Amino acid sequence: MSISKEVASQILDSIGGKNNIKNVYHCTERLRNNLVELARVDIKAWRLQNGRS
């Protein structure tokens, strides 16, 4: 698996999977999304993927 696909897979897992995404849109610098259930998000894992702790 390429690094970008691996990272995308990890991010998708951290936000609760594809069934937890209501919609996705982008701006110049970010990919934005609305989620079905915020409670399904693994905040710690998501922050690690985004360079935060």
Side-chain angles (χ1 to χ4, degrees), residues 15-37:
I15 63 170
K18 68 180 182 179
N19 292 328
N20 197 35
I21 299 173
K22 189 181 290 186
N23 62 33
V24 176
Y25 55 100
H26 63 86
C27 67
T28 304
E29 299 175 354
R30 293 181 175 95
L31 181 63
R32 300 177 182 273
N33 55 62
N34 292 325
L35 303 176
V36 176
E37 293 181 52

Side-chain angles (χ1 to χ4, degrees), residues 32-48:
R32 300 177 182 273
N33 55 62
N34 292 325
L35 303 176
V36 176
E37 293 181 52
L38 189 55
R40 293 176 58 186
V41 176
D42 182 342
I43 299 289
K44 187 175 181 181
W46 182 84
R47 285 185 174 164
L48 289 173

